[in-house]
Amino acid sequence: MKGYDLDLLRYLQVLIEEESVSLAARRLKISEPAMSRQLAKLRKAFADPILVQSGRRMTPSAFAAGILNRVQNVVVAADSLIETRALVNLANMAPTFTLRANDLVIAALALPLLEALKKDCPRCEVIWAPELDAAASVPLRDDSVDLYIGATEMMKPEIRRQTIFRDYMRGLVRKGHPILAEPITPESMVRYDYISVSRRGRAQGPIDWKLRNQHGLTRRIAMVVPNYHAMIESMKN
């Protein structure tokens, strides 16, 4: 079958994933007319509409939805070939790697990661970008971040994801806090004020959802701080 190449398959992947010519164009940083021309090429090459009108929005055709996984695999495999070639020349390159993670992860990984990178790419630069309110996959898709390290399930299908470690949560209280005088239960937890740590300034999180949904209880959040150092410094002695 002729009439398409790897670049056209990239357009096909993004069009199916976004289900929109305008969103696909924005993601690949081209104009909408240019993306429309690529869609026309795809329709001719595959003898299929690829995207069909469904009310006010477009949806993938049955054919397009059925081949998405294979198209994604082809594009990823092709990218890996390019990445393999790039690795050979890392010593002569000066790339900038932009990463995002919370302050605890940065404190634990920043220096070891930089040292490991410097062995193969001595002229590289690592930037730890600040957290944004947008979903984790957004900066990965628009190339403003190369790697996100964090706990999230809300990723778009084209984002490659790998578990590198597992974390757990602990509460911290001042010495002699009255909550320690008895067994800690959901009921005893909600009797006291809390400092919440949130990079996005959100007062509630998974603990609050669990208390509310499973026990019908609500914590009192007295303060929200952006990192754990600020939380520790804000606790009363």
Side-chain angles (χ1 to χ4, degrees), residues 42-115:
L42 287 164
R43 286 171 168 168
K44 182 178 180 180
F46 290 95
D48 185 86
I50 307 299
L51 293 179
V52 295
Q53 198 70 36
S54 178
R56 295 185 177 181
R57 57 190 294 268
M58 303 189 80
T59 58
S61 66
F63 168 76
I67 65 170
L68 177 58
N69 286 339
R70 282 184 287 170
V71 173
Q72 289 171 333
N73 290 337
V74 169
V75 172
V76 169
D79 286 343
S80 69
L81 295 176
I82 298 172
E83 291 166 0
T84 300
R85 178 62 181 169
L87 289 174
V88 177
N89 301 316
L90 276 178
N92 300 318
M93 298 173 65
T96 296
F97 301 107
T98 304
L99 294 78
R100 177 167 289 150
N102 70 37
D103 57 314
L104 293 183
V105 172
I106 296 173
L109 297 184
L111 183 57
L113 180 60
L114 180 63
E115 291 174 342

Side-chain angles (χ1 to χ4, degrees), residues 137-150:
S137 60
V138 172
L140 290 169
R141 300 177 84 197
D142 64 19
D143 294 330
S144 59
V145 167
D146 299 306
L147 176 68
Y148 173 79
I149 304 175

Side-chain angles (χ1 to χ4, degrees), residues 177-179 182 188-194 219-221:
H177 194 285
I179 197 173
E182 58 182 339
S188 67
M189 287 178 61
V190 299
R191 296 174 191 164
Y192 307 97
D193 289 343
Y194 283 81
R219 290 192 305 166
R220 297 195 303 267
I221 307 298

Side-chain angles (χ1 to χ4, degrees), residues 148-207:
Y148 173 79
I149 304 175
T152 180
E153 297 294 326
M154 303 300 291
M155 288 290 185
K156 295 294 183 178
E158 76 277 11
I159 303 296
R160 283 182 279 179
R161 184 174 61 187
Q162 180 179 350
T163 300
I164 57 176
F165 63 86
R166 298 189 181 277
D167 199 6
Y168 55 90
M169 300 178 69
R170 287 186 175 178
L172 185 66
V173 299
R174 60 176 170 78
K175 184 177 181 180
H177 194 285
I179 197 173
L180 302 176
E182 58 182 339
I184 298 176
T185 65
E187 289 73 20
S188 67
M189 287 178 61
V190 299
R191 296 174 191 164
Y192 307 97
D193 289 343
Y194 283 81
I195 299 173
S196 178
V197 180
S198 172
R199 303 183 303 280
R200 298 184 176 96
R202 297 174 180 172
Q204 295 191 339
I207 294 176

Side-chain angles (χ1 to χ4, degrees), residues 117-132:
L117 286 170
K118 288 288 188 181
K119 291 179 180 178
D120 295 318
C121 188
R123 298 168 59 198
C124 73
E125 178 185 49
V126 177
I127 296 176
W128 292 93
E131 192 73 49
L132 300 177

